[in-house]
Amino acid sequence: MRTRIEQELALLREQYPDVEHAELNGEDWFRLPRYSIPEGWQQGDNPVSTADVVFQLKANYPATKPYGFLAPVDLNFKGTPPVNNVGDPPAKPPFDGSWRHFSWDAEEWTAKADVRKGSNLLVWCRSFRIRLQEGV
C-alpha cells in the first residue's frame, strides 16, 4: 500500500474504525459501513439512519481529487430515488452489493504533504453528508 494511502487510511479509521480498503487494478476503493445519513432516507420502504458508502480513488491520487460516491441501489429519499446521480457505478467496486453512483465533487481540493492538513479522505467522506442533506 502506498504511504499516502496508508496514512489516509489511518486518519479515516480515527472517525470510521470499520472502514474497509481494497486495491483493484491500481486503484483504491474504500467502504464505510454504517455511514450516518440524514433523516428521510430509506432502503426500500424501511427508514434508515445509516447506509454503506463506497468510493474510489484513481491511481494518481492525490493529484486527481476523488469524485462521486456509491450507496446501495435501493437507497431513496422518502420513497423517491435520488436524481443527482449518474446511475450505475463507473467501475464495479470490489465490495459485495448493488450500488448507485451519486455525483459529488469537492468544491476545493488542495492536498498537502501532511495528510492532516489541507484536503484529505476524512474531509472528503464527511462531505458526503452535505450531498445527502439535499435529499433527492
Side-chain angles (χ1 to χ4, degrees):
M1 189 180 330
R2 296 179 318 277
T3 302
R4 174 78 186 211
I5 298 302
E6 187 176 286
Q7 292 170 345
E8 293 227 30
L9 183 56
L11 183 62
L12 274 175
R13 284 200 170 114
E14 291 176 14
Q15 181 73 36
Y16 305 102
D18 52 357
V19 63
E20 297 174 30
H21 171 258
E23 294 179 55
L24 181 65
N25 299 324
E27 297 179 335
D28 293 280
W29 288 86
F30 298 84
R31 179 176 169 261
L32 303 173
R34 298 176 299 282
Y35 184 87
S36 178
I37 60 176
E39 188 175 333
W41 287 94
Q42 307 175 168
Q43 277 193 256
D45 295 329
N46 301 315
V48 292
S49 59
T50 64
D52 290 355
V53 174
V54 171
F55 65 96
Q56 173 189 26
L57 298 180
K58 297 294 183 183
N60 58 348
Y61 175 84
T64 298
K65 65 183 178 177
Y67 177 80
F69 63 92
L70 311 178
V73 72
D74 62 344
L75 190 69
N76 65 80
F77 189 75
K78 298 180 180 178
T80 303
V83 294
N84 185 15
N85 70 72
V86 293
D88 292 334
K92 182 172 174 26
F95 303 110
D96 290 338
S98 297
W99 304 98
R100 174 183 316 232
H101 185 254
F102 282 72
S103 177
W104 186 242
D105 198 9
E107 288 186 25
E108 181 180 320
W109 189 261
T110 309
K112 307 283 186 187
D114 181 345
V115 298
R116 293 186 176 275
K117 298 180 179 174
S119 301
N120 60 47
L121 294 182
L122 181 57
V123 171
W124 172 241
C125 291
R126 287 178 177 165
S127 79
F128 301 160
R129 190 163 175 82
I130 296 167
R131 166 59 187 97
L132 293 166
Q133 286 173 330
E134 295 173 359
V136 295

